[in-house]
Amino acid sequence: MATQTAFCRRRSEAAPNSLDIARDTFTLLVTGPQPLSLNGRLFPGLPDEEIPLDEVRDRLLARRCPQATRDAVWAHLVLRSRAEGATWTVAAVGVALPALTSVAAILSNRFAGDPADVHAEVLRGFLAALSTIDLRPPRIMLRLRWAAYRSGYDALAEALASPTPVAPGFRSTPPHAPWGHPDLVLARAVADGVLTETEAALIGATRLEEVSVADWAARHQAGEWAVYKTRKRAELRLAAYLREGAVETDPTDPLVDQVATAMALAGPVTPARETPRLSPSVSDTNGESEREVRRRVSKTDADSGVQGCGTNPPSARTSEVTRCA
């Protein structure tokens, strides 16, 4: 019985998820003597020939690929998926697989449960958006990716909010707020209107996925300094939003201190105030007497360091010289 249980567990762990099945199906479409292809003559920036869809995917992922070419290809894929159905729907999923796989990996990275449901929801969100997305605005694939992300995020949030099993049986426990997961934070901030999808993508790529700002700026045809400033402003808004939400939810949450520290480090540095010079005729602000202030600046004082004892400066009075001696 124990052996059968272990075997079932291994089969469950090795079972392919929905994205694996989509990848295998797409591979069948682009292999063989007549792979599913696009006519490159229809799209600016692509070779004037029939291009297999796996090669089209690689060209779209290249950094030097213009955004206009990406949008033109994705508009074509979306329209053919809507018009012809199954084959071109699988084709669109196959071209989007690098983005979908990355989204699923990010969402399930710290999830202790079975990630198959999260992967399935990521794919479902992409397919739902494929039939409804507006093709007129630019960056079609980015908007499809965020639709998949939101769908997977909802599934992950629901799983995290479910009761946690506790031995020897099951009992209800308070739901775990998913604030600590950085990707969930970005998705929630976009849903609440704190960040735009582009700002969230910028923070996620340059902070979580180890993409440099220079690479991100080049990939999106933007100035590097402008990207730095955009990320700075977005992170300040995000920090204030997180601190306010964490305080309202649980003032004892360690995230409150983390966000406060991040905001303190991100805030402007205020120069130290200089100590004002004291006039000889003004009393010291720390409570020292007028006599002590005058003594520090007197040129004829024995302890002033300007004229020592035993000297007879031309401007000194005879009585002062005698007293000093």
Side-chain angles (χ1 to χ4, degrees):
M1 183 65 179
T3 303
Q4 183 179 1
T5 303
F7 174 75
C8 292
R9 184 182 299 110
R10 286 196 298 269
R11 282 194 61 187
S12 176
E13 293 174 352
N17 58 44
S18 55
L19 294 180
D20 294 331
I21 296 173
R23 180 180 296 104
D24 294 340
T25 307
F26 178 74
T27 302
L28 293 176
L29 291 178
V30 296
T31 54
Q34 294 182 340
L36 193 62
S37 306
L38 285 183
N39 187 349
R41 292 187 295 272
L42 302 177
F43 309 100
L46 293 184
D48 187 8
E49 60 186 9
E50 291 290 330
I51 310 173
L53 279 181
D54 55 344
E55 183 179 342
V56 171
R57 178 185 61 192
D58 295 340
R59 289 179 177 275
L60 296 182
L61 291 174
R63 183 181 302 175
R64 63 181 178 273
C65 181
Q67 186 62 44
T69 302
R70 294 171 180 160
D71 286 336
V73 171
W74 269 107
H76 180 82
L77 292 175
V78 171
L79 290 175
R80 296 201 69 170
S81 172
R82 293 174 182 177
E84 302 180 33
T87 298
W88 284 96
T89 299
V90 174
V93 172
V95 175
L97 268 177
L100 299 181
T101 304
S102 174
V103 167
I106 290 172
L107 289 174
S108 58
N109 183 30
R110 298 182 179 90
F111 182 49
D114 186 3
D117 291 340
V118 176
H119 290 202
E121 283 301 309
V122 167
L123 180 58
R124 188 198 64 79
F126 175 82
L127 292 175
L130 201 64
S131 61
T132 59
I133 192 168
D134 187 356
L135 300 179
R136 290 170 296 181
R139 303 189 183 279
I140 297 173
M141 182 54 213
L142 178 63
R143 289 183 284 125
L144 288 171
R145 180 185 184 276
W146 274 106
Y149 194 108
R150 285 191 293 267
S151 180
Y153 162 75
D154 291 340
L156 179 60
E158 182 179 356
L160 292 175
S162 61
T164 304
V166 179
F170 297 90
R171 61 185 177 86
S172 297
T173 58
H176 298 283
W179 286 102
H181 195 296
D183 304 304
L184 301 183
V185 170
L186 292 177
R188 183 184 294 269
V190 171
D192 290 345
V194 177
L195 300 178
T196 65
E197 293 184 356
T198 301
E199 290 171 339
L202 168 61
I203 295 174
T206 58
R207 296 298 194 190
L208 305 178
E209 300 176 9
E210 299 181 355
V211 177
S212 68
V213 172
D215 290 344
W216 196 95
R219 186 179 305 169
H220 293 80
Q221 299 179 355
E224 182 176 348
W225 182 240
V227 171
Y228 270 113
K229 292 193 294 184
T230 299
R231 186 180 68 175
K232 181 68 173 180
R233 289 192 296 265
E235 287 178 341
L236 288 176
R237 291 199 310 273
L238 179 62
Y241 162 77
L242 288 180
R243 184 168 67 172
E244 179 182 356
V247 170
E248 291 178 357
T249 304
D250 183 6
T252 64
D253 193 337
L255 180 63
V256 178
D257 295 333
Q258 296 174 12
V259 172
T261 302
M263 291 186 68
L265 294 176
V269 179
T270 304
R273 296 180 59 185
E274 296 183 356
T275 304
R277 294 174 177 266
L278 294 175
S279 171
S281 61
V282 179
S283 298
D284 194 336
T285 56
N286 293 327
E288 293 181 327
S289 65
E290 182 179 354
R291 178 185 57 79
E292 292 172 331
V293 175
R294 285 203 183 99
R295 180 177 59 80
R296 286 204 301 270
V297 299
S298 174
K299 294 183 179 180
T300 58
D301 197 330
D303 298 327
S304 67
V306 178
Q307 294 175 344
C309 295
T311 62
N312 187 10
S315 59
R317 299 185 182 90
T318 305
S319 59
E320 292 179 344
V321 176
T322 303
R323 183 172 64 253
C324 183

